[in-house]
Amino acid sequence: MSTSVSSDSPSARKRLLYFLGFALVIIAIVGVTIYAIYNDLNSRFNGPRHEAKAVAPNVIVSQFLTFEEDRTFPMGLTASPDGGFYLSRFNASGISKVNAEGKIEAFAVTGSATGALAFNATDGNLYAVVYNEATQNAVGSLVKIDSEGLATELPAIPNQNGLPLFAGLALDPAGNVYVTDPIGGQVWRYPPNAAVPELWWTAATVSNQRAIVVAITYDPTREKMLVSDVGTGTVYAVAMDGSEAQPLYRQTGIDVRAITVDEKTNRLFLTVWNNDNGAVNLLQADGSLLLLADDFRSPTATVLLDDKLYVVNSDVPGLIQSSGLVQPRAKPPFTVDVLDLSNLQ
């Protein structure tokens, strides 16, 4: 009597081969996925260095300031009363003064890292957010700097954590100083000669998205403060007593890092981020954005003078400490660019 083995029953060797083949397919899929993620991260943060370019007709982009030093990260810019600028660099030891022709001279020593700047015409002082270290984990405080470059630290906002990276500064005609707390989604106000700051406004949650307030500026036409919430993609016009906030523009995912008001024409310019890129847009009367120029590198500050918009390229992705896989872009020269808008229709 003989016993036969069915041909439908795979042998142990065939089962092993099936298993190995399946495992190799899984490994290949995982490998391709990891490689795609790696390439995506590097393309976002370590692609070839790019320069800003004009997009809209009659707009001209050129370089105003150039820094060849490695890891200088220009951050803050504000107009000075003599027609020039004050400029901060995040990995430098102080604040520079720049004339209209681009000549740079030292002004104040503030420490290892300085962010946002705002000059107060009411008291003649420069206000700056000064950080304890030049890293993405930096913690800052508000500092007042007099005309001689002497710095005085102001009382901290009562959150016990200090000011995070990208805290913004603005002033109103009464001399009040406003500082944004991105993490808290709040704006704090320092009245002239006040002993402590006061909580002025808190952004609302929108569609379960947490508020992250960054840019702030005074709008003399509306007589309101304009504040960007990058967490919800909203630009607000906030009443001067902080009681009411009206959305001027909202787009899911838009990351507005600087707001600039043209007092002569009431035009509003929004400078946004897209990973390490950046773009300058004109907010039009119908509520849409007109792209004026793009390919900026993480712009953090803008100043409008005489139909020219000065844009600071911070290159801040270079602050990220490399994991060995991703090498963030931080390649000199670091620049401040200028958009000639004199022929913008």
Side-chain angles (χ1 to χ4, degrees):
M1 183 177 180
S2 61
T3 303
S4 63
V5 179
S6 171
S7 60
D8 294 334
S9 301
S11 66
R13 178 177 294 180
K14 286 184 177 180
R15 289 198 299 269
L16 178 60
L17 290 174
Y18 291 154
F19 174 79
L20 289 176
F22 181 74
L24 288 173
V25 170
I26 296 298
I27 291 172
I29 292 173
V30 172
V32 169
T33 301
I34 293 174
Y35 183 71
I37 293 173
Y38 167 76
N39 276 345
D40 179 62
L41 288 173
N42 272 298
S43 67
R44 293 187 185 196
F45 297 120
N46 197 37
R49 185 182 180 279
H50 51 82
E51 298 287 354
K53 66 179 186 297
V55 175
N58 302 320
V59 173
I60 301 173
V61 179
S62 59
Q63 291 184 354
F64 175 61
L65 299 176
T66 301
F67 302 97
E68 297 291 345
E69 303 93 334
D70 190 30
R71 296 178 63 81
T72 57
F73 306 114
M75 290 288 280
L77 188 72
T78 189
S80 63
D82 58 3
F85 308 90
Y86 293 105
L87 172 73
S88 68
R89 288 182 285 166
F90 198 69
N91 203 27
S93 60
I95 298 170
S96 301
K97 197 168 184 181
V98 185
N99 69 12
E101 289 72 42
K103 182 181 178 181
I104 304 172
E105 62 181 32
F107 171 66
V109 176
T110 55
S112 61
T114 307
L117 301 175
F119 178 76
N120 192 342
T122 302
D123 62 16
N125 293 314
L126 176 67
Y127 290 82
V129 179
V130 177
Y131 293 92
N132 62 337
E133 59 184 20
T135 73
Q136 69 269 29
N137 299 316
V139 176
S141 58
L142 184 60
V143 171
K144 179 176 68 175
I145 305 169
D146 66 18
S147 59
E148 302 299 320
L150 179 63
T152 303
E153 185 172 338
L154 298 183
I157 64 173
N159 65 359
Q160 301 179 348
N161 296 317
L163 294 171
L165 200 59
F166 308 125
L169 283 179
L171 296 135
D172 67 18
N176 295 297
V177 182
Y178 299 78
V179 58
T180 64
D181 174 11
I183 293 178
Q186 299 171 327
V187 179
W188 293 79
R189 181 167 65 183
Y190 286 76
N193 303 315
V196 294
E198 57 190 21
L199 179 60
W200 177 72
W201 180 71
T202 301
T205 299
V206 178
S207 300
N208 295 320
Q209 296 296 313
R210 183 176 64 87
I212 305 174
V213 296
V214 178
I216 184 169
T217 194
Y218 176 70
D219 185 338
T221 302
R222 295 179 176 86
E223 296 185 340
K224 293 182 178 181
M225 301 299 296
L226 307 184
V227 185
S228 77
D229 174 3
V230 305
T232 67
T234 308
V235 175
Y236 292 99
V238 186
M240 296 308 297
D241 61 1
S243 63
E244 182 182 3
Q246 173 190 0
L248 285 183
Y249 183 81
R250 178 172 289 158
Q251 177 185 327
T252 301
I254 195 170
D255 190 343
V256 177
R257 293 287 167 153
I259 307 171
T260 312
V261 179
D262 186 343
E263 297 184 20
K264 295 185 300 182
T265 64
N266 198 30
R267 294 183 299 189
L268 191 62
F269 301 96
L270 304 181
T271 300
V272 305
W273 279 12
N274 181 15
N275 299 316
D276 77 324
N277 290 346
V280 174
N281 302 272
L282 172 64
L283 181 61
Q284 301 188 100
D286 63 0
S288 64
L289 294 183
L290 173 65
L291 178 62
L292 302 181
D294 64 6
D295 276 351
F296 296 95
R297 302 182 307 280
S298 303
T300 48
T302 55
V303 172
L304 182 67
L305 284 178
D306 300 325
D307 292 323
K308 293 182 178 179
L309 184 67
Y310 296 81
V311 183
V312 176
N313 293 281
S314 72
D315 287 277
V316 289
L319 285 173
I320 302 172
Q321 298 298 314
S322 171
S323 64
L325 293 175
V326 178
Q327 301 286 336
R329 185 201 326 266
K331 299 179 178 68
F334 299 90
T335 65
V336 176
D337 296 330
V338 57
L339 277 68
D340 188 336
L341 304 175
S342 55
N343 294 316
L344 179 64
Q345 301 300 317

